[in-house]
Amino acid sequence: MNTFRQNALGAGLLFVVADVVGPFAFPALAFLNEPGYLATTASHSTSLMVGVLLILAMELACSGIAVWLYPVLSKEHEAMALWAVVFRGIEAICGIVAAVALLALIPLSQAFLAAGAPETSSFQTLGTMIVSTSDWTRDVVMLFAWGLGALLYNILFFKSGLLPRWLAGWGIVAILVHVASCGLRLFDVIGPTSPLQVAMLVPSGLQELTLAVWLIIKGFDPSTVARLSAREASASAPREPKAVSVLTDTGRPQPQGAL
């Protein structure tokens, strides 16, 4: 198995992990959407921790995708491939911060219940700040960084021909819709995990699953891999020095090696 096949397989498996594991986090955290979540979080602490762990697994998988793809995509355009890694890294950091912040709700809920669950208190204000900040970080910053990273490597797939252009083109269009949902969420046009937001994210999720299956089963196009490898080898090959000529006594040029 050559390096390119390993990269395709590694990226494809991580796509599957990210797209399958991630969605299971939302049912585990669904109780946070209820009005009385602060009173029930203490009893749902296990569910909250499971949801956080699933998000962490998803983010680690997402950051690994760009790392596996970089050695291949850098042969087409090194700067764009590197920025894809950077945006995936930003995504992972934001996702991890947003998920870990939710763990603070467990001791807050316990303190809230110990205080008698007052209807109006600083506990509720703090809980609202934690949840809203986590939602905003996830739905705007994290998803926007994810979209930019995915857009870059789909553009590189399309330009290079490493994957079918219909698949890369689908990804470009779906991710533009995905990025638009971040803007709508930023200005509160749509709510977190609202039906419209989910509908705008589904096309990119389906494209990633299709992309994952393609990478695992078929990998990159062999002819394109050969072309990119040959171009890289040609660019890195040392150039032969030009012959230097000097004038002889007769005034005629003569190669320096003949003197």
Side-chain angles (χ1 to χ4, degrees), residues 124-213:
Q124 293 173 322
T125 302
L126 184 55
T128 300
M129 289 177 59
I130 293 173
V131 173
S132 61
T133 301
S134 177
D135 287 345
W136 192 89
T137 303
R138 181 194 66 211
D139 294 341
V140 179
V141 184
M142 185 199 82
L143 289 179
F144 185 71
W146 178 94
L148 291 180
L151 182 63
L152 287 175
Y153 59 66
N154 274 284
I155 290 174
L156 291 176
F157 286 146
F158 189 88
K159 288 178 59 180
S160 65
L162 283 164
L163 295 176
R165 283 190 165 86
W166 64 264
L167 181 57
W170 173 13
I172 292 171
V173 174
I175 292 160
L176 289 176
V177 175
H178 168 110
V179 171
S181 74
C182 298
L184 295 176
R185 177 71 186 94
L186 175 63
F187 295 103
D188 290 326
V189 177
I190 58 177
T193 63
S194 64
L196 180 56
Q197 184 191 36
V198 173
M200 296 180 75
L201 298 179
V202 164
S204 59
L206 292 177
Q207 190 268 349
E208 281 209 340
L209 283 175
T210 307
L211 175 61
V213 173

Side-chain angles (χ1 to χ4, degrees), residues 66 81-91 145:
L82 181 59
W83 273 109
V85 176
V86 171
F87 284 124
R88 283 296 201 179
I90 294 173
E91 173 215 344

Side-chain angles (χ1 to χ4, degrees), residues 88-138:
R88 283 296 201 179
I90 294 173
E91 173 215 344
I93 292 171
C94 292
I96 291 171
V97 170
V100 172
L102 294 176
L103 294 177
L105 291 173
I106 297 176
L108 183 65
S109 176
Q110 294 170 343
F112 176 70
L113 293 175
E119 294 184 1
T120 303
S121 66
S122 59
F123 295 106
Q124 293 173 322
T125 302
L126 184 55
T128 300
M129 289 177 59
I130 293 173
V131 173
S132 61
T133 301
S134 177
D135 287 345
W136 192 89
T137 303
R138 181 194 66 211

